[in-house]
Amino acid sequence: MTAAGGPARLSRRGLLGGGAAAAGVAGAFAAGRLTAPETTPVAGPVASYPFHGERQAGIVTPAQDRLHFVALDVTTDDRDELVALLKAWTEAAARMTNGESAGPVGAVDGPGNVPPDDTGEALDLPPSGLTITFGFGQGLFVDADGKDRFGIADRRPEALEQLPRFSADVLDPARSDGDICIQACADDPQVAVHAIRNLVRIGFGTTAVRWSQLGFGRTSTTSTSQSTPRNLFGFKDGTANIKAEETAALDEHVWVGAEDDPRAGWLAGGSYLVTRRINMTIEVWDRQPLESQEQFVGRTKGSGAPLSGGEEFTEPDFAMSGSNGPIIPTDAHVRVVHPDANDGVRILRRGYNFVDGSNDVGGLDAGLFFIAYLRDPRTHFIPLQRAMSRNDALMEYLRFTGQALFAVPPGVAEGEYVGQALFA
Amino acid sequence: MTAAGGPARLSRRGLLGGGAAAAGVAGAFAAGRLTAPETTPVAGPVASYPFHGERQAGIVTPAQDRLHFVALDVTTDDRDELVALLKAWTEAAARMTNGESAGPVGAVDGPGNVPPDDTGEALDLPPSGLTITFGFGQGLFVDADGKDRFGIADRRPEALEQLPRFSADVLDPARSDGDICIQACADDPQVAVHAIRNLVRIGFGTTAVRWSQLGFGRTSTTSTSQSTPRNLFGFKDGTANIKAEETAALDEHVWVGAEDDPRAGWLAGGSYLVTRRINMTIEVWDRQPLESQEQFVGRTKGSGAPLSGGEEFTEPDFAMSGSNGPIIPTDAHVRVVHPDANDGVRILRRGYNFVDGSNDVGGLDAGLFFIAYLRDPRTHFIPLQRAMSRNDALMEYLRFTGQALFAVPPGVAEGEYVGQALFA
């Protein structure tokens, strides 16, 4: 091999460090990043977030632009194999979020006679704000046959149960549930895909992909430094989201408290993750008059201000009345899901727009991949979703085609592995 | 409606022009764009390419980062309806590539009692280098029943026929063919999706989506100003692509000549577009030793240099021999598809990486959505694909799951509509 081990074999790290070949794409990304309000570079010219920390990254991290989410089934019954995989994933995740290859050898720096320990498609790309977030599903604790495969059934969080069905649910089992989930967010989709692909590869023989979802555009802001993006209804989405800066609200609504669940102390400081694949009937939506759309949402389409007036971040005045009753209709989305109507409950949303080809009625298979982090699904998700199902004017334009719930362990300290307290 | 017609109702254009609400996302994008080598802004701070011109944009335009491609079936038999749609699409495409809404009223500026003429999800986004490229499939000329629905059967280009099946083809009819295609490329996926969605919407009742494909990462360079990206095999892809700067090669290999097909004079100055949805068996690929991967491709994985030496853009030396025969194996991809082995034929590739969820063997449904523009599929695609099918070492890792061929009319002059010469 002419180039084996030669100077052409730059590691991903090498390229980022200033290799000549990095001057094109990587340079442009780096420059772009510095001016973007969404990211807070930890060090150096390229945004990166450390994998280790008190909390897992990818929850309150300023929402990156692109998503690759995967749910896996564990195919082994061997606890040691599972723990070994969690250790391997932790190492790989820490490397990749730092802009390095998935394994210590890399895509092109090893001996030629063995498979590389990185697949290579992110070789020339910077970390791109990559975060990798792990969660554990109910099936990891008790499998479909009721079996405690890994000796952790007695540590299953009480709230980690099968979610109920809601109206408008047409859930596809092949797009729902899973023993383990991995959320990769990045500002470059190739970096997010590379991360998931390499973690899936490391799990080969121990886990299998159950479902996977790409999101092309974020719909939520998780930091006050971000401007509000739009969903495929054309409306700003996430205006009233909890922001990373609201630490008291995060403690109240997102992070699992130390006393929340005595049998699941390992989850303290973590969170619950709910995903819902929400198909939007966009062709029908697009035929509604602007005023109707705005009344369904309860906000103006342009600025995102509540119909009661003001600008985007003005609090809605639900008491304001016009000649035809409340200015913000009783079934407007903003009213139905508002904390005032839901015992003060708030959640942290982190959703993404998706288009997955075409549907069977000559339109696009498109919508919102809803992701929310919350302290307890029994208080923070199920009642909210029931209220939506019952009252929300938007429901006519939504079909729920996938659903999953995961317990998201707290952050990983240096030298530990993700979920270690669960298996200790 | 409190905000109807008020200052909250900024048009997309208004936002781009400096509306306060644009300071966040749009500002960051604009700043990023200026430093990116991939785009050549035509005017102002945001990259945009005009829809009108001698050629359709989106062919030799420096390949943008993201793709949304759609193939449509025409559901009417009425020629006037079809022509009216082509006119409406032309107007909308010219508006959207200019960063404007799909229709003249816009998403939020019209009267509240009618549906907006734009769906709104790109309201706050700059043009993002959007190009929209139209093509016509065989079915537009002669439908599945052999019927000449629109009186244009005698103008069908001779080369616009059903492509043959090749080995490793497992074509899904639901991902193949189509009467009309629209390729939207942009540096922001939301802008590409917005364009396709609004064109599909305009076609509602006249056309129906047959299939649709998102691509998250380009795999080709179409300009010498671009650095070469990587496909999901981890290799640089598109090194030897025809570049926009090679005008003589474009005339020889990409643009249909005036004398090429007497019965299809309307296509002179246009091109043919071949799409192939190529699933990569990435899990198997990832288990191959680095040297094997490089021998399959014929290039090093790091720099992309041919195995015969040099750097990425060095011409491969196919005659060079080592102790075990040719340094570049006889079945290496770079050798099999090289012009020297194919009567000098070159094509213009414009492919994108894709991940579309999971497959049925616990892996990712992932690969390359191959797009090529070429002068004649009979000389420039079929023989090349046959050579690949017969000899190419990569074939073991590829499965072809979709295929389509379209005739791409030349550019549209101001005041004309796309394909006008075909219907004149």
Side-chain angles (χ1 to χ4, degrees):
Chain A
M1 298 292 303
T2 49
R9 295 233 164 141
L10 296 169
S11 71
R12 186 168 171 205
R13 201 76 202 138
L15 285 168
L16 294 176
V25 171
F29 269 94
R33 278 305 100 218
L34 280 175
T35 62
E38 296 97 325
T39 52
T40 310
V42 166
V46 176
S48 74
Y49 300 105
F51 180 73
H52 294 97
E54 186 192 355
R55 316 281 189 194
Q56 287 198 67
I59 303 173
V60 299
T61 309
Q64 301 94 327
D65 288 343
R66 319 288 172 229
L67 168 79
H68 192 184
F69 193 101
V70 69
L72 300 140
D73 285 333
V74 179
T75 54
T76 183
D77 285 351
D78 186 319
R79 179 183 168 121
D80 292 341
E81 265 184 52
L82 174 60
V83 168
L85 175 59
L86 293 172
K87 289 178 179 171
W89 274 348
T90 298
E91 279 178 35
R95 296 182 57 85
M96 290 191 287
T97 53
N98 196 32
E100 298 172 69
S101 54
V105 174
V108 295
D109 290 326
N113 60 349
V114 297
D117 63 13
D118 181 277
T119 58
E121 69 269 27
L123 264 176
D124 318 317
L125 304 175
S128 307
L130 174 68
T131 56
I132 297 171
T133 314
F134 293 91
F136 301 139
Q138 181 194 17
L140 195 71
F141 298 85
V142 181
D143 73 9
D145 302 323
K147 191 174 152 196
D148 176 11
R149 289 187 291 171
F150 307 111
I152 53 175
D154 60 348
R155 296 180 169 203
R156 180 178 64 81
E158 214 180 314
L160 188 65
E161 297 183 308
Q162 192 71 33
L163 290 172
R165 291 284 179 111
F166 303 96
S167 61
D169 277 7
V170 286
L171 303 180
D172 178 355
R175 293 185 188 275
S176 298
D177 305 326
D179 294 339
I180 296 178
C181 75
I182 311 175
Q183 170 195 281
C185 298
D187 289 321
D188 184 329
Q190 182 121 337
V191 170
V193 163
H194 169 264
I196 293 294
R197 179 211 188 155
N198 279 271
L199 295 171
V200 166
R201 182 186 180 221
I202 291 168
F204 189 81
T206 308
T207 54
V209 174
R210 184 178 173 87
W211 54 270
S212 156
Q213 179 71 53
L214 256 68
F216 64 78
R218 67 182 170 86
T219 61
S220 296
T221 55
T222 59
S223 163
T224 54
S225 67
Q226 299 183 291
S227 61
T228 313
R230 291 179 186 272
N231 61 31
L232 294 185
F233 284 149
F235 278 76
K236 290 188 182 179
D237 200 332
T239 298
N241 208 21
I242 300 183
K243 304 294 196 297
E245 294 78 5
E246 300 178 72
T247 50
L250 291 173
D251 284 337
E252 187 180 349
H253 298 293
V254 175
W255 306 125
V256 174
E259 311 302 317
D260 282 11
D261 187 344
R263 73 182 186 184
W266 61 271
L267 187 56
S271 190
Y272 287 90
L273 164 55
V274 173
T275 68
R276 299 266 286 170
R277 187 170 183 277
I278 307 179
N279 273 87
M280 292 171 162
T281 56
I282 56 175
E283 294 83 5
V284 186
W285 175 262
D286 290 344
R287 289 198 293 272
Q288 307 310 312
L290 178 60
E291 275 179 10
S292 301
Q293 293 183 4
E294 293 182 328
Q295 301 217 341
F296 299 151
V297 174
R299 294 182 177 277
T300 65
K301 198 167 187 174
S303 72
L307 295 184
S308 49
E311 49 79 57
E312 180 188 348
F313 294 101
T314 305
E315 264 298 304
D317 180 352
F318 296 116
M320 185 184 286
S321 266
S323 50
N324 297 316
I327 293 283
I328 299 178
T330 54
D331 61 355
H333 178 71
V334 67
R335 183 194 284 265
V336 172
V337 300
H338 195 273
D340 288 359
N342 296 280
D343 293 326
V345 157
R346 298 176 67 193
I347 59 176
L348 176 73
R349 281 178 293 151
R350 232 182 186 278
Y352 286 82
N353 297 321
F354 73 83
V355 174
D356 289 345
S358 51
N359 60 28
D360 49 9
V361 292
L364 297 173
D365 178 0
L368 174 69
F369 186 69
F370 171 91
I371 296 177
Y373 288 90
L374 39 95
R375 185 169 179 177
D376 189 324
R378 295 166 301 184
T379 52
H380 280 66
F381 174 70
I382 295 171
L384 210 57
Q385 187 63 41
R386 286 219 169 100
M388 250 189 91
S389 297
R390 226 175 6 244
N391 299 327
D392 197 315
L394 283 184
M395 288 297 289
E396 193 176 337
Y397 306 94
L398 305 176
R399 293 170 77 245
F400 299 88
T401 49
Q403 174 172 279
L405 171 66
F406 302 95
V408 175
V412 182
E414 295 272 1
E416 298 190 344
Y417 64 90
V418 64
Q420 181 164 332
L422 169 60
F423 292 92
Chain B
M1 298 294 309
T2 49
R9 296 239 162 136
L10 297 169
S11 71
R12 187 170 171 203
R13 203 77 202 137
L15 285 167
L16 295 177
V25 171
F29 270 94
R33 278 304 104 219
L34 279 176
T35 62
E38 295 96 328
T39 51
T40 310
V42 167
V46 175
S48 74
Y49 300 105
F51 180 74
H52 294 97
E54 186 192 354
R55 317 280 189 194
Q56 287 199 66
I59 303 173
V60 298
T61 310
Q64 302 93 327
D65 288 343
R66 319 285 172 232
L67 168 79
H68 192 183
F69 193 102
V70 68
L72 301 139
D73 284 332
V74 178
T75 54
T76 184
D77 285 350
D78 185 317
R79 179 184 168 121
D80 292 342
E81 265 184 53
L82 175 60
V83 168
L85 175 59
L86 293 172
K87 289 178 179 171
W89 274 348
T90 298
E91 279 178 35
R95 295 183 57 84
M96 290 191 287
T97 53
N98 195 33
E100 298 173 70
S101 53
V105 175
V108 295
D109 290 325
N113 60 350
V114 297
D117 63 13
D118 180 277
T119 58
E121 69 270 26
L123 264 176
D124 318 318
L125 304 176
S128 307
L130 174 67
T131 56
I132 297 171
T133 315
F134 293 91
F136 301 139
Q138 180 194 17
L140 195 71
F141 298 85
V142 181
D143 73 8
D145 301 323
K147 190 173 152 196
D148 176 10
R149 290 187 289 170
F150 306 112
I152 54 175
D154 60 348
R155 298 181 168 201
R156 181 178 63 82
E158 213 179 314
L160 189 64
E161 298 182 307
Q162 192 71 33
L163 290 172
R165 291 286 180 108
F166 303 96
S167 60
D169 276 7
V170 286
L171 303 180
D172 178 356
R175 293 186 188 276
S176 299
D177 305 325
D179 295 338
I180 296 179
C181 75
I182 312 176
Q183 170 196 282
C185 297
D187 289 320
D188 184 330
Q190 183 123 337
V191 170
V193 164
H194 170 264
I196 292 293
R197 181 217 186 146
N198 279 271
L199 296 171
V200 167
R201 182 187 178 219
I202 291 168
F204 190 80
T206 308
T207 54
V209 174
R210 183 177 173 87
W211 54 270
S212 155
Q213 179 71 53
L214 256 69
F216 63 77
R218 68 181 169 87
T219 62
S220 296
T221 55
T222 58
S223 163
T224 53
S225 66
Q226 299 183 293
S227 60
T228 313
R230 290 178 187 273
N231 61 30
L232 293 184
F233 284 149
F235 278 76
K236 290 189 182 179
D237 199 333
T239 298
N241 208 22
I242 300 183
K243 305 294 197 297
E245 294 78 5
E246 300 178 69
T247 50
L250 292 174
D251 284 337
E252 187 179 349
H253 297 294
V254 175
W255 306 127
V256 173
E259 312 302 318
D260 282 10
D261 187 344
R263 72 182 189 186
W266 61 272
L267 188 56
S271 189
Y272 287 90
L273 164 54
V274 173
T275 69
R276 300 265 288 169
R277 187 170 183 275
I278 307 179
N279 273 89
M280 292 172 162
T281 56
I282 56 174
E283 295 83 3
V284 186
W285 175 263
D286 289 345
R287 288 198 293 272
Q288 307 311 311
L290 177 60
E291 274 180 10
S292 301
Q293 293 183 4
E294 293 182 329
Q295 301 218 340
F296 298 152
V297 174
R299 295 182 177 276
T300 65
K301 197 167 188 175
S303 72
L307 295 185
S308 49
E311 49 79 58
E312 181 189 348
F313 294 100
T314 305
E315 265 297 305
D317 180 351
F318 296 118
M320 185 184 286
S321 267
S323 50
N324 296 318
I327 293 282
I328 299 178
T330 53
D331 62 354
H333 178 70
V334 68
R335 183 193 285 264
V336 172
V337 301
H338 195 274
D340 288 357
N342 295 281
D343 294 327
V345 158
R346 299 175 66 192
I347 58 176
L348 176 73
R349 281 177 294 150
R350 235 185 183 274
Y352 286 83
N353 297 320
F354 72 85
V355 174
D356 289 344
S358 51
N359 60 27
D360 50 9
V361 292
L364 297 173
D365 178 359
L368 174 69
F369 186 68
F370 171 92
I371 296 177
Y373 287 90
L374 40 95
R375 185 169 179 176
D376 189 325
R378 295 166 300 184
T379 53
H380 280 66
F381 174 69
I382 295 171
L384 209 57
Q385 187 63 41
R386 286 219 169 102
M388 249 189 93
S389 297
R390 231 181 354 250
N391 299 327
D392 196 315
L394 282 184
M395 288 297 289
E396 192 176 337
Y397 306 94
L398 306 176
R399 292 170 76 246
F400 299 87
T401 50
Q403 174 173 279
L405 172 66
F406 302 95
V408 175
V412 183
E414 295 272 0
E416 298 190 343
Y417 64 90
V418 64
Q420 180 163 331
L422 170 59
F423 293 91

